[in-house]
Amino acid sequence: MSRRCEDINLIGRFLARRDLPELTREAVENALGHPKFDLLILLGGNIPYGCETAFHAWRAGLAERLMIVGGIGHTTPSLQRLLRERCPEMETEGRAEADILSAYFQRTCQADPNDLILENRSFNCGENASFALRRLDEAGFRPETVLLMQDASMQRRTHGNFEKEWAGRSVRFFSYAAYRPVVREDRNGLTYDESCRVWGIWEMEHLLTLILGEIPRLHDTPEGYGPAGKGYLPHIEIPCEVLDAFERLREEYGDLVRRPWKP
């Protein structure tokens, strides 16, 4: 495998945080001491495969309640398009991610809308966390154990956002990225390994934009989102090998790095 692929895969694994070895009742019981989370929060920035994985984990009894969080953001058009292709009769235009996913699960899995808690106004990761907390307070539900499921590229940042926004609450967060991107090279360039060719996986260039944009955001510097910068996140430790991989990739793909906020 080329150094370029090794670097992409290393960053992808780091971002796709998993606090459980697998999404099973046994793994949950080993982590919690009992087989069910109080709440599973599905973030709408997920690809459709990740959304379905979260829904079926809840249906399998791995969490007491399911909350879907997501308004209209930069990932919404992709989700709208992919779900419309699967369910052409379903209206997606102008609808928030949480509302689209709720409608999709009702159509395809006969989900009862009364079983779902929706937050459909948040625009970014920080709002996902703060607006979700507000919505749960309105519902009078105070979970003590929460499983977060976001897109692999944003799982680690999302976890940090929730820890910061929910500080002071008696809650334990666990993350589980539904997939981990693995790339390889063939005669045509970069491509996905067969193990992660799942429904809705990002186009390769967009994946690079997502994962390369995360490292400057997570890195606790004046330009990042940690305490030394914007203050959106708690301090997140990034291994030296991940930072080295990012620097090598930035030399080749600098134009794909989404710039974070700058003071």
Side-chain angles (χ1 to χ4, degrees):
M1 180 179 292
S2 69
R3 164 66 78 175
R4 173 169 50 181
C5 289
E6 289 177 357
D7 287 343
I8 293 169
N9 293 339
L10 175 63
I11 294 174
R13 284 194 304 274
F14 170 71
L15 296 176
R17 176 170 174 164
R18 281 183 176 175
D19 298 323
L20 304 171
E22 54 187 351
L23 208 54
T24 63
R25 183 174 291 266
E26 181 180 9
V28 174
E29 187 154 17
N30 287 338
L32 300 180
H34 50 85
K36 186 179 291 192
F37 288 94
D38 293 334
L39 179 68
L40 191 162
I41 298 181
L42 163 61
L43 286 304
N46 233 313
I47 63 172
Y49 170 81
C51 296
E52 287 197 326
T53 300
F55 180 82
H56 291 303
W58 170 67
R59 267 283 178 85
L62 301 189
E64 186 68 33
R65 302 293 303 275
L66 174 64
M67 183 178 199
I68 308 176
V69 174
I72 296 177
H74 72 90
T75 59
T76 310
S78 174
L79 185 67
Q80 291 171 333
R81 175 178 57 81
L82 290 165
L83 294 187
R84 190 167 56 245
E85 289 173 359
R86 183 67 62 92
C87 294
E89 73 284 1
M90 191 175 76
E91 182 59 47
T92 63
E93 190 66 30
R95 300 184 71 186
E97 292 166 347
D99 296 326
I100 297 169
L101 288 168
S102 174
Y104 174 73
F105 292 139
Q106 289 175 54
R107 285 179 177 272
T108 62
C109 305
Q110 291 73 54
D112 186 339
N114 296 317
D115 290 338
L116 308 176
I117 305 172
L118 304 184
E119 188 294 303
N120 60 7
R121 296 178 55 214
S122 53
F123 178 75
N124 54 43
C125 285
E127 289 186 353
N128 286 161
S130 59
F131 288 15
L133 178 59
R134 183 193 308 169
R135 178 72 182 86
L136 290 170
D137 282 346
E138 291 170 353
F141 184 45
R142 294 205 168 201
E144 296 182 359
T145 56
V146 176
L147 178 62
L148 301 170
M149 294 188 67
Q150 172 62 290
D151 185 71
S153 64
M154 294 183 286
Q155 185 72 60
R156 189 166 294 273
R157 176 154 55 112
T158 293
H159 193 108
N161 281 127
F162 271 83
E163 286 189 331
K164 185 177 187 304
E165 294 296 332
W166 291 39
R169 298 293 179 113
S170 297
V171 59
R172 286 192 292 161
F173 289 109
F174 293 78
S175 273
Y176 190 87
Y179 73 99
R180 282 176 164 167
V182 180
V183 305
R184 56 182 176 82
E185 287 190 84
D186 60 20
R187 66 183 65 182
N188 297 314
L190 292 174
T191 186
Y192 284 107
D193 185 79
E194 291 292 338
S195 63
C196 66
R197 290 185 180 176
V198 295
W199 181 30
I201 194 75
W202 305 109
E203 295 290 336
M204 185 60 64
E205 183 173 299
H206 190 62
L207 172 77
L208 294 174
T209 298
L210 290 173
I211 67 171
L212 293 178
E214 283 298 292
I215 300 304
R217 286 164 170 76
L218 296 179
H219 199 193
D220 196 6
T221 67
E223 291 75 36
Y225 287 177
K230 189 65 171 176
Y232 294 150
L233 298 169
H235 176 77
I236 293 175
E237 196 67 32
I238 303 179
C240 291
E241 58 268 26
V242 173
L243 291 174
D244 290 343
F246 170 75
E247 291 300 332
R248 287 190 292 268
L249 290 170
R250 180 158 62 175
E251 291 181 7
E252 183 174 1
Y253 299 109
D255 58 328
L256 297 182
V257 178
R258 295 184 303 136
R259 303 298 179 186
W261 168 89
K262 291 185 178 181

